[in-house]
Amino acid sequence: MNIEELKNEIYKLKRKKNALIVAHNYQIDEVQEIADFVGDSFYLSKVCAERPEEVIVFCGVHFMAESAKILSPHKKVLLPEIDAGCPLADMVTAEDVENLKKKYPDYSIVCYINSPASVKAKSDVICTSSNAVKIVREFPNDKIIFLPDKNLGSFVKKQVPEKDIILWEGFCITHYKIKKEDVEKAKSAHPNALVLVHPECRPEVVELADFVGSTKQIIDFATASKEKEFIIGTEMGVLYSLKKLNPDKKFYILHPGMICPNMKKNTLQSVRDALLYERYQIEVEEEIMQGAKKSTC
């Protein structure tokens, strides 16, 4: 099938199966185009829970589909590519959390949503890149272990200096590629552009940015701004929405390697196959689901 035939087949199957298609901001353009909703992972999980459709095709990575399942336990959640994982999420395990609790019994675990359901279930609260600072600041315990992303944790630690925060040594392999020199080079090439970066970037990169925020916050900032040029320090899939919402503005990707290979695995073909064969269905054990749901922000 060509692209148009695939799209028509997807729309036909979606109606037949009473399905909802959601896509993360980092998905390829073609997948974002056919999605009913595009956005950050937690926003999409909430949309899935609020909508009436009984079948969810989640175009993202494994932990995102798990999050959707946790909030929509009675719905069928499908991940088009079953091996679309997240190296950051794989950097921490439920056993790691148990060991941390034994070593630091007075500390509370704040878990970034980019983590497995089994880790969420053993944490005290879950945060997103949008609300991490707020969650940590307002949490009743002043002793915090933040996991798994050390860079987001470092950003939070700087914003909430009054708290004792221990950082887990995980990181996003895509955002970690950006170095201070890349920002300086980009600013030199585009002196009139504002630098917008994700807090998963290294601290020295975040320090040089004009704005730091989640993918949605970056999109919202650029859209609301009167400025016309922006250097974007997050996965390049976000350019689809930025350009669509701001056709009169210019966007430059901060580093040519800002591509998440796992996010790019989902294609129109795999979305069509997910609907046709109702694969790959994501399941979360009941005990884990209940534990993760209790910690959800």
Side-chain angles (χ1 to χ4, degrees), residues 257-275:
M258 295 306 290
I259 302 170
C260 174
N262 281 284
M263 282 289 191
K264 304 308 187 196
K265 287 181 178 178
N266 296 307
T267 63
L268 290 178
Q269 183 68 53
S270 59
V271 172
R272 177 259 189 187
D273 291 347
L275 284 165

Side-chain angles (χ1 to χ4, degrees), residues 68-85:
K69 183 65 178 178
I70 290 164
L71 295 187
S72 303
H74 303 300
K75 294 186 180 183
K76 187 176 287 185
V77 178
L78 308 174
L79 182 65
E81 295 287 347
I82 194 60
D83 62 343

